[in-house]
Structure formats: C-alpha cells, structure tokens
Amino acid sequence: MSTQLSAFDLVPVTSGSSASTAVSNSLDFAVQVEQFGYERLWYGEHHLNPGVIGYSPALMIALAGGVTKTIRLGAGAVLAGHRTALSVAEEFGLLEAAFPGRIDMGLGRAGLRSPGNQQDAQTVAAESDSFSNIAESHRTEHGVVIPASPDLSSLFNSPRFRIQRQLLNQPGAQPGTYDEFIADLLDLLINRKVVDGYELAGTVPVQVNPEVWVLGSSAGESSQIAGARGLRFGANYHVAPAKVLEAVADYRRAFKPNAQLAEPYVIVSAEVLVADTEEQAQRLAAGYDLWVHSIRTGQGAIYYPTPDEAAATPLSEAHWPIVADRVSTRFVGAAEQVVAQLESLRQATDADELLISTITHDHAARVRSFELLAQAWYASQDNPKERMLASTTPQNSRMTNV
C-alpha cells in the first residue's frame, strides 16, 4: 500500500502582500492540493505572528470546506490549554455536520498542566515536550538528519511569549491535565458526558465523529496519551526534528488497540520545497532562516521575504545555532531528490503518512512545489494513488502571484 501525502498550511503573509491575499491564496491552495491528490489538509493555530495568520483552524477548515469536495480537513493542532473540551467538541462537531466524513481534530497540549505539576503550564509544555537536549547532530541508518536541539530560552523568556499566555487565558483560569481534556472531549463526542451526576445526552449530535489526533514533538505525555487511548499520532519533524524518532517509538510502545483503531497510525511532518530544478528550488528557499529566526527569538513570524530581500539581509553566523536544526532538515531540490529524502524519513519513522509543509515568498511557486512532489511521489510508490494529478491550473483556480 502506498504512503499518502497530506498538506499543512500556515496561511502565511508574504512581504509586500496583505492578509486578504494570504487568505485568498490559502483557499486557492486548498483547491489545488485536492486536485493534486493530497489526502488531507491541516491548519495550525498560531498567535501574535504578523507573517502567519492561521489563528483559528476551525475557521480555516470552514472556509476551505466551501471550495473543496473530497480532501480531509483538519487542525494541526488546536491548542488545548486555551479552550474547553466542550468548545472544541462543538466546533468540530459542527464542521463534521457541514462536511461529513472529512474532518480531523488534531490536538496539542500547550497551555495545560502536566500531571501533579502546578507550574505555569504553557512554559512547561513548551520546554519539556519539544526540545529536550540533544548535543550533537547525527544521521540515522536511513540517512535522515537528526539535528542537535537548539537553545530556545530566548523564545520562552520573550515578552511576546509571556503576553500570548496572558491574552489567551482567562484571568484565574486553572488548566487541567491533557489526559483530562482528552477524556472529556471523547466523552462529549460519543454523547456520554456526565457532569455532577447528570448525563448530557446528544451534546454533540454528529453521525460520524471527527478523527481525533494527538500531535507531539517528543516522547512523553502526548505520545503516551495518544498510544494509551488508541488515537492517531502526529510527530513533528519539520519544527522539532531532534526528538521525532523517540516520539514515534514512545507512541508505538504505549499503543492499545480499540474499536476505532486496531494498530498505531502515525503521520510525520516535513518542511519541503520542490521546483523544476535544484537551482530554482535553492533560490526559492532563500529567507527561510530569517523567517525561522524571527519566530524563535520571540519577535513573531516576519512577512516571508523575497529572495532578493533575503540576500540583502543575510542571517549572521552568530544567529545560526537557533535555526540550524530546521534549516538542515528542510528538503529542498528537484522532485526526484526530495522524494528520495522523504522516502528515507518514511523508512526511519515507519510513517503511515507524511504531512508536507512548504513556505516560500511566491504563491505560485508553493503550489508548483506541491504539484511536482505529488506527481513524483505517487509515481514512485508501489501502488500509485488513483487520482488525476493536474498538470495545469484547474479552471476554478483562484491563483494569485504575489
């Protein structure tokens, strides 16, 4: 059976563009990746980032659902610590009612309390779940780069990071644990939630429940909860590559089958940029280090620069350590090169799917990257996906060059 590709969209705002154009481009992107044969399209939840306006996965899913027909749509991920289980269950239940059989509910634990720990939950989650120290970069037997962990203290101690916690959490709110949140969520979805002895029947009346995914960046609470509850797991190679192997292994060790899922199921993310030639791809890749640096220093994602802007303001060597892990694990090149690298990642992690993230300044180039990758990837599989891969822009495309 072939390994499917899925797509991830940040709803990026590029230099010289606008928020309106970013949304328009993302809706065109949804139409395009459906045509290219991608299995699912996920949206993240990011706040206080000028160059990324994917604030609300549910809103983006609703917008994308209106312009697509078959592709699964989901969150990668809803930040559980800023929400209640009821609000998430109701939102995604409504989306499932609008787009039956197409909704994925991906969950991240940021903002929740670790079991037995009363410390600031957002800081604990960010520091402990994503970037445990790995001192040296190395390669797996499949040739996959496992980089050293960066020092992200500048991010966790930044004013923007503290302000985000302040603005996203209600004053005096006491977060629960991740396992409590997921237990409440699952109870609500199957209409068996009991509060103060009262059974809430029909709370979220959906015919088919959304697929529930747990996303994690390292071995620990997220991977273990996903496994113990028999849920699907997303491992984050494109943002936290240092711990991806441990995260996947921990999930599989903890996995317990249930009526919904008989075996572990893993999707692994990767940052990718494909062009017609390696030279073109490398030019389009310019600016990624500057963009990552703006995020990891707490500045907030900048508007993604043009190649010329990136060349005019190169990142200094002193700032390289904070971005090295992400730049060194980005797959950039012609389609055949990137397919070989992704196949190595698939083998190293035994992934059931790969979640592809691509960011560059030009929208048309981003769309072209996904098209070239899909064509080459499915052609390389034992059982290529039986979908027509568009070789030209579909007639209903709303592509905008920026």
Side-chain angles (χ1 to χ4, degrees), residues 49 98 234 318 340 363:
N49 286 281
H363 170 64

Side-chain angles (χ1 to χ4, degrees), residues 85-324:
L86 177 60
S87 67
V88 175
E90 288 181 336
E91 276 187 1
F92 281 80
L94 178 60
L95 289 169
E96 181 62 44
F99 311 110
R102 297 176 57 196
I103 300 302
D104 300 332
M105 182 194 301
L107 304 171
R109 76 181 181 98
L112 291 172
R113 174 173 52 85
S114 296
N117 194 327
Q118 299 299 322
Q119 298 180 47
D120 179 283
Q122 176 105 3
T123 301
V124 170
E127 292 177 344
S128 66
D129 198 42
S130 299
F131 296 101
S132 301
N133 184 57
I134 291 181
E136 295 183 0
S137 176
H138 63 280
R139 288 183 180 269
T140 71
E141 61 179 307
H142 302 93
V144 174
V145 174
I146 303 298
S149 301
D151 177 4
L152 296 185
S153 57
S154 59
L155 170 61
F156 302 137
N157 295 324
S158 69
R160 184 179 291 265
F161 193 81
R162 293 194 300 271
I163 290 169
Q164 176 175 301
R165 298 199 306 270
Q166 177 182 330
L167 295 179
L168 287 175
N169 293 289
Q170 291 291 334
Q174 297 296 317
T177 67
Y178 200 17
D179 196 43
E180 291 168 345
F181 181 92
I182 291 177
D184 287 345
L185 188 63
L186 295 176
D187 282 348
L188 287 162
L189 287 173
I190 61 176
N191 300 316
R192 290 194 295 106
K193 179 64 177 171
V194 177
V195 178
D196 294 335
Y198 184 80
E199 183 173 311
L200 300 173
T203 307
V204 184
V206 294
Q207 293 182 342
V208 179
N209 286 323
E211 280 190 6
V212 180
W213 293 71
V214 173
L215 278 65
S217 299
S218 68
E221 188 176 10
S222 297
S223 54
Q224 290 165 16
I225 288 174
R229 291 193 172 274
L231 301 173
R232 294 168 176 83
F233 183 65
N236 197 345
Y237 183 72
H238 86 288
V239 170
K243 304 295 286 184
V244 66
L245 298 181
E246 290 90 339
V248 170
D250 196 44
Y251 164 69
R252 291 199 171 101
R253 281 193 299 268
F255 186 82
K256 295 180 180 178
N258 56 35
Q260 287 72 45
L261 196 62
E263 298 178 346
Y265 196 95
V266 174
I267 192 169
V268 175
S269 65
E271 185 68 33
V272 169
L273 182 54
V274 179
D276 291 283
T277 68
E278 182 179 6
E279 183 180 10
Q280 290 174 357
Q282 292 296 341
R283 174 171 169 75
L284 291 167
Y288 185 68
D289 53 351
L290 297 170
W291 184 77
V292 172
H293 182 265
S294 69
I295 297 169
R296 287 190 160 178
T297 54
Q299 176 185 348
I302 58 174
Y303 302 122
Y304 198 91
T306 67
D308 288 342
E309 288 171 338
T313 56
L315 191 69
S316 71
E317 186 175 344
H319 292 142
W320 178 252
I322 204 171
V323 304

Side-chain angles (χ1 to χ4, degrees), residues 3 26 35 51 60 66 79 95 98 172 204 242 264 267 325 330 348 357 370:
T3 301
S26 284
Q35 293 285 335
M60 286 308 305
L79 303 184
L95 289 169
V204 184
I267 192 169
D325 64 317
R330 190 187 195 195
S357 173
F370 276 85

Side-chain angles (χ1 to χ4, degrees), residues 67-78:
V67 297
T68 57
K69 293 180 172 58
T70 59
I71 193 169
R72 294 192 66 91
L73 301 166
V78 172

